[in-house]
Amino acid sequence: MIDYSALKKAVIDGDDERTAQLVKEAIEQHADPADIVTLGLQAGLVTVGEKFSSGEFFIPEMLLAARTVTRSLDIIRPLVSDSDMITAGKVVIGTVVGDLHDIGKNLVGMLLGGVGFDVLDLGTDVYPKRFVTAVMEHKPDILGMSALITTTMPAMEATIQALESANIRRQVKVIVGGAPVTQHFADQIGADGYCSNGGSAIELCNRLVGR
Amino acid sequence: MAMSHKARILAAAHRQAVDKLPFGARIDVWYNYHCAHGTLPEKYEGWNMVDILRDQGAGVQVRHMRIWKLEYDNLEVVTREDPPYTITEWRTPVGAVSLKTVFRPEEGSWIVYEVDHPFKSKEDYPVIEYIFQNTRVVPDLSEYQQKEKMVGEDGIVITGMDMYSPMQQIMRYWLGYERFFYELHDHPVQVGQLYELQKEVAKKKLEILGESSVEIPMLCANWSDEFHTPVFAKYFSPWLREASDYLHSKGKVTQVHSDGEMRRLIPLFLETGVDVAEAWTPMPMTSVTTGELRKAWGDKVTVWGGIPAVLFEPQYTDQEFDTYVIDLFKQIAPGYNFIIGMGDNLPFDGRIERVGRIVELIDKYGSMPMKL
Ligand code: B1M
């Protein structure tokens, strides 16, 4: 039985080299790749998210941990290419039209990528139509929208309406976030989820895809 | 005789007595948006921003990006348009880097946004170092002086360090936030070297500011504690202290645009020697109340702001707006070292009459010392 606590700690420390070394060691010991990912890498990243949510960690720690996990997944991926273990689900994410703020959105995208979601980032200033096209084309499980300005928040509602008009609203879970966005607003516009920070985005998306 | 808006703002910034609570209002997001869409209120069609603020009775805050030009030796800067983007390329003997920006004034913005930053990989270090080493900073004051004349005694034209202190300039402009933190972790020596070189450029800007008529040079902008706290003590405080000391020796006071989440930066701010925290944005847009801030800073820092942008929006009733402003007055009474302002702007769906309403409330409650 492999002890994954050292691997988890290496992720929390954002220590690329140590993480890669521990992943290779676990593979040599015939560990199940799914366990390496979930009990080591992703468990570490979830803790990092929690530490960020509680204010103990800052953005650099999150970024480094997410990168560490992404790099380690590259070591594991060839071993499990036919398994769906690594892909928790597909997420399309973007900052809504009129809004160019992307720091929070990028962070959320990286964290979700780190815990196994396949993330497609549409960037900033994304029109409702473009979100709709991306949902049609990529069939994500989750559509994530970020807004940092109160005056751009209505674009989230417009996007949900555009999904409805295109008859694809039920195909995808919609989550919203960004400093001025609230749970109340998310409920009002008919989103499926809201989270106040990057750390809780992991938990929310896992819940929405039934993980 | 009553003090002018400008005299009040300057006195408060210098932590001196004022007759009445100063007010310096910022409305350029609202103004730019409505000009671009042809939707200014009928009364204000064709007006300039300063006259609108005068009409509301408020002190004026006008922005001006910089009072210098950057010129380069031994390298070529080529700019081309690829709508909606502008691509700028620095071609140096040691290689080239390019920047992709977009400017969206129709959304209210007064700044360009970097879509793709010059630094792409570690091969770009020597190129960017070369650019910094070959940068000249040349005074260019004419536009600023025109704005100064236009505003007169009715307020202040704010300008300063091109918005950013040296490390913020590297983070935000040259590398971008995410890459900055990776690079600081992976190549701290090279990032440190960029910082040292950018400081030299910044010193030249400071000298121009020191010799200019700019009253409260702006030293940095757009802070948020999630990304600035870890690097603040090492890269922000020392430079801000040095810059403030220098500008103090020239008879000036300094300010920063603190419009983001400030909770964990509040204690660190006191190390900087900066006199004014402008664009102070309290709850509900951030997690901190003005009362908490005043408790932490006492009279050591003058605060400019206090009314979050969202309060001007229709989602808040006139009654709620009044209640918020009066409560703010209570939190800051007796009111010294405070300049009322927006955190950080009047949004484009904000109600311009509320600027005038603040003036009425100051007339009612804002005589010094305020007793509420
Ligand atoms: C999909 O699911 C999810 C789930 C969770 C999600 C999510 C999505 N998205 C975010 N989250 C959540 O997780 C993240 C991690 O915990 C969090 O993300 P955040 O993005 O909230 O947090 C980041 C990690 C850190 N925070 C930030 O990055 C934002 C910080 C502040 C200071 C800020 C910054 C840095 C900037 N700005 Co601007 N900026 C401000 C901000 C102040 C504030 N109080 O928010 C704000 C947002 N800005 C504002 C303004 C007005 C503007 N800005 C502008 C520009 C900029 C900069 C370019 C200078 C820069 C952005 C750089 C960039 N690459 O993004 C302009 C807008 C341009 C445009 N069209 O978008 C301009 C118009 C300024 C101007 N006059 O030109 C204000 C909006 C006011 C309003 N009415 O709502 C503002 C609140 C400042 C203020 N005090 O008024 C959570 O919200």
Side-chain angles (χ1 to χ4, degrees):
Chain A
M1 176 77 186
I2 292 175
D3 176 12
Y4 286 105
S5 56
L7 180 56
K8 190 174 154 187
K9 181 173 180 311
V11 171
I12 295 169
D13 293 344
D15 188 338
D16 268 2
E17 282 176 26
R18 176 111 183 98
T19 307
Q21 181 202 337
L22 290 168
V23 165
K24 284 176 190 155
E25 281 173 18
I27 292 168
E28 277 158 23
Q29 289 166 40
H30 305 291
D32 182 346
D35 286 348
I36 302 175
V37 174
T38 51
L39 304 177
L41 300 177
Q42 293 179 354
L45 206 49
V46 168
T47 304
V48 171
E50 286 163 4
K51 284 179 185 285
F52 180 78
S53 300
S54 72
E56 187 185 336
F57 272 11
F58 295 91
I59 285 182
E61 287 98 333
M62 293 248 274
L63 289 172
L64 291 172
R67 185 179 70 170
T68 295
V69 170
T70 309
R71 288 182 171 173
S72 298
L73 286 176
D74 288 343
I75 303 173
I76 299 169
R77 198 164 280 123
L79 305 175
V80 290
S81 51
D82 291 324
S83 152
D84 63 353
M85 176 224 30
I86 288 179
T87 304
K90 199 180 262 185
V91 179
V92 166
I93 194 167
T95 301
V96 297
V97 63
D99 205 324
L100 300 170
H101 294 87
D102 65 358
I103 303 170
K105 181 262 301 167
N106 293 351
L107 201 67
V108 170
M110 291 190 69
L111 284 173
L112 293 177
V115 296
F117 285 91
D118 184 5
V119 179
L120 175 70
D121 187 345
L122 301 180
T124 59
D125 201 13
V126 181
Y127 281 85
K129 216 170 124 191
R130 204 156 141 239
F131 277 122
V132 169
T133 313
V135 170
M136 283 173 163
E137 212 172 295
H138 301 282
K139 306 211 169 2
D141 303 279
I142 295 170
L143 172 66
M145 290 184 277
S146 180
L148 262 285
I149 317 183
T150 40
T151 45
T152 61
M153 286 161 59
M156 294 175 155
E157 186 171 16
T159 305
I160 291 179
Q161 281 163 3
L163 290 170
E164 264 157 17
S165 305
N167 282 324
I168 51 171
R169 173 66 186 91
R170 294 235 210 106
Q171 280 178 26
V172 66
K173 301 281 185 204
V174 176
I175 67 164
V176 289
V181 180
T182 58
Q183 180 67 57
H184 176 68
F185 176 78
D187 294 341
Q188 233 176 18
I189 64 169
D192 301 299
Y194 155 78
C195 51
S196 64
N197 66 68
S200 50
I202 300 177
E203 194 200 317
L204 173 67
C205 290
N206 276 339
R207 187 156 39 82
L208 288 175
V209 297
R211 274 223 296 194
Chain B
M1 203 175 88
M3 294 170 91
S4 68
H5 284 299
K6 178 174 182 167
R8 270 188 209 119
I9 292 169
L10 288 180
H14 282 267
R15 297 196 271 288
Q16 292 165 357
V18 287
D19 56 350
K20 198 159 77 168
L21 190 60
F23 179 25
R26 184 174 177 200
I27 62 167
D28 51 80
V29 164
W30 177 87
Y31 183 76
N32 291 346
Y33 176 91
H34 289 293
C35 281
H37 291 80
T39 48
L40 276 173
E42 213 178 325
K43 175 182 177 187
Y44 291 138
E45 271 170 27
W47 287 44
N48 69 41
M49 195 172 75
V50 173
D51 285 339
I52 294 176
L53 284 169
R54 282 191 182 116
D55 187 57
Q56 292 289 327
V60 173
Q61 201 201 95
V62 168
R63 295 277 154 158
H64 183 71
M65 188 55 87
R66 54 185 76 87
I67 56 165
W68 60 80
K69 284 188 292 212
L70 295 184
E71 290 181 356
Y72 302 96
D73 296 318
N74 314 316
L75 66 94
E76 199 187 357
V77 184
V78 181
T79 303
R80 76 185 154 86
E81 298 301 322
D82 179 12
Y85 304 111
T86 302
I87 319 281
T88 306
E89 197 182 353
W90 289 261
R91 295 177 186 163
T92 81
V94 294
V97 290
S98 69
L99 165 74
K100 186 174 175 181
T101 54
V102 63
F103 185 42
R104 296 282 304 266
E106 73 280 12
E107 298 294 342
S109 191
W110 77 298
I111 43 178
V112 297
Y113 173 77
E114 299 84 26
V115 180
D116 196 12
H117 300 266
F119 182 93
K120 314 264 186 316
S121 74
K122 70 178 195 312
E123 280 65 46
D124 294 329
Y125 279 116
V127 185
I128 297 177
E129 283 174 17
Y130 185 94
I131 296 169
F132 290 179
Q133 282 161 334
N134 286 279
T135 300
R136 268 184 297 118
V137 187
V138 183
D140 179 20
L141 283 122
S142 58
E143 241 184 80
Y144 170 78
Q145 285 160 344
Q146 276 169 22
K147 285 186 185 172
E148 224 182 7
K149 222 179 261 166
M150 182 165 93
V151 172
E153 280 302 303
D154 292 331
I156 296 277
V157 183
I158 293 187
T159 192
M161 288 302 301
D162 224 353
M163 292 192 50
Y164 301 122
S165 62
M167 204 45 140
Q168 175 84 329
Q169 188 82 13
I170 291 168
M171 279 172 106
R172 190 171 123 50
Y173 186 80
W174 291 94
L175 272 72
Y177 291 105
E178 289 102 7
R179 208 171 262 147
F180 169 80
F181 284 114
Y182 293 139
E183 287 300 313
L184 191 63
H185 178 266
D186 298 346
H187 303 110
V189 176
Q190 285 90 330
V191 175
Q193 172 70 2
L194 286 188
Y195 173 57
E196 292 304 323
L197 292 171
Q198 184 58 219
K199 269 203 306 198
E200 293 308 310
V201 178
K203 276 182 197 157
K204 296 175 200 161
K205 296 175 183 173
L206 277 183
E207 279 165 23
I208 295 172
L209 282 167
E211 299 309 317
S212 73
S213 56
V214 176
E215 298 96 345
I216 323 175
M218 175 67 77
L219 296 183
C220 200
N222 303 128
W223 288 352
S224 205
D225 73 357
E226 304 95 328
F227 47 94
H228 286 114
T229 312
V231 287
F232 200 85
K234 187 163 178 193
Y235 296 113
F236 283 70
S237 295
W239 187 84
L240 290 167
R241 166 67 67 182
E242 197 183 323
S244 290
D245 287 350
Y246 171 75
L247 291 167
H248 290 159
S249 78
K250 298 283 175 183
K252 299 180 187 303
V253 285
T254 56
Q255 61 178 321
V256 294
H257 183 70
S258 39
D259 65 328
E261 177 59 57
M262 288 288 290
R263 180 168 291 286
R264 290 168 292 184
L265 290 173
I266 289 170
L268 303 176
F269 193 103
L270 293 173
E271 304 297 314
T272 63
V274 171
D275 304 279
V276 180
E278 189 268 339
W280 161 244
T281 307
M283 250 186 208
M285 285 176 67
T286 66
S287 74
V288 191
T289 65
T290 300
E292 279 179 86
L293 183 80
R294 294 289 269 187
K295 215 165 159 195
W297 283 353
D299 58 6
K300 294 189 189 82
V301 181
T302 294
V303 178
W304 188 341
I307 309 183
V310 294
L311 259 293
F312 293 89
E313 296 182 342
Q315 55 174 304
Y316 287 92
T317 64
D318 290 344
Q319 183 56 46
E320 285 168 329
F321 183 79
D322 279 13
T323 305
Y324 191 98
V325 176
I326 293 165
D327 184 56
L328 172 69
F329 290 173
K330 285 182 187 157
Q331 292 181 53
I332 64 172
Y336 295 108
N337 311 329
F338 207 98
I339 305 162
I340 293 292
M342 279 85 166
D344 77 343
N345 218 307
L346 181 66
F348 65 68
D349 64 350
R351 301 187 55 188
I352 186 73
E353 319 79 67
R354 288 186 182 171
V355 176
R357 181 62 186 153
I358 295 171
V359 176
E360 287 169 11
L361 291 171
I362 290 177
D363 285 343
K364 190 164 174 194
Y365 301 105
S367 294
M368 293 294 180
M370 287 164 69
K371 295 187 188 81
L372 281 106

